[in-house]
Amino acid sequence: MTLPFADARILADGARALALETGKALSLAVVDYGGFVVLVERMDGARPMTPSIALSKAYSAAVMQRPTSMLENWRNSDPVFFTQVGRMGQHPIVATKGGYTLKRDGEIMGGLGISGGSPDEDQKICEDVLRSAGFDLDFPEWAGTGSRRPH
């Protein structure tokens, strides 16, 4: 399923509004199913590295087909393999809060990444904006997470 630019714009506008409410200067990125950039924005005052971090979060969530926070067990259980895989794609694979897979009606459509707040703030903005835009927030754990690699 293709991610329409209109959906990316809605996510960006929603994330920016939430960031302004919390007083945070954030960057955000939206990518399609293959991890290709649909939209990247850096709010006034956001730190210079935040767009790249947001893009890596969005990319990771899209191509790994799980929110980036769900990758933490994999990173911790097999750091050498995770590091090697993390260098393979167009952008680094990251295992932290603030990257969420865009899924609607069971179809993976892309990823959203937020950077600039604390990990919990970035995660909350992702979840809140996706919930309000009608995206799915439930993802099954990988079988054996913590003891085996995802496939």
Side-chain angles (χ1 to χ4, degrees), residues 24-41:
K24 298 290 180 177
L26 305 176
S27 291
L28 62 101
V30 180
V31 300
D32 68 10
Y33 176 84
F36 294 98
V37 174
V38 176
L39 180 143
V40 176
E41 287 189 5

Side-chain angles (χ1 to χ4, degrees), residues 87-102:
R87 297 179 184 153
M88 292 175 144
Q90 304 165 10
H91 302 283
I93 302 292
V94 296
T96 187
K97 295 177 180 176
Y100 225 96
T101 308
L102 301 177

Side-chain angles (χ1 to χ4, degrees), residues 39-73:
L39 180 143
V40 176
E41 287 189 5
R42 179 174 167 249
M43 292 174 63
D44 292 341
R47 294 183 309 275
M49 279 295 295
T50 58
S52 295
I53 296 167
L55 184 54
S56 289
K57 289 178 179 184
Y59 175 80
S60 299
V63 300
M64 299 309 293
Q65 300 184 347
R66 293 292 187 279
T68 54
S69 63
M70 291 181 77
L71 303 178
E72 290 176 331
N73 285 340

Side-chain angles (χ1 to χ4, degrees), residues 73-90:
N73 285 340
W74 175 33
R75 178 197 61 208
N76 295 339
S77 68
D78 199 346
V80 173
F81 184 72
F82 180 86
T83 300
Q84 295 305 314
V85 169
R87 297 179 184 153
M88 292 175 144
Q90 304 165 10

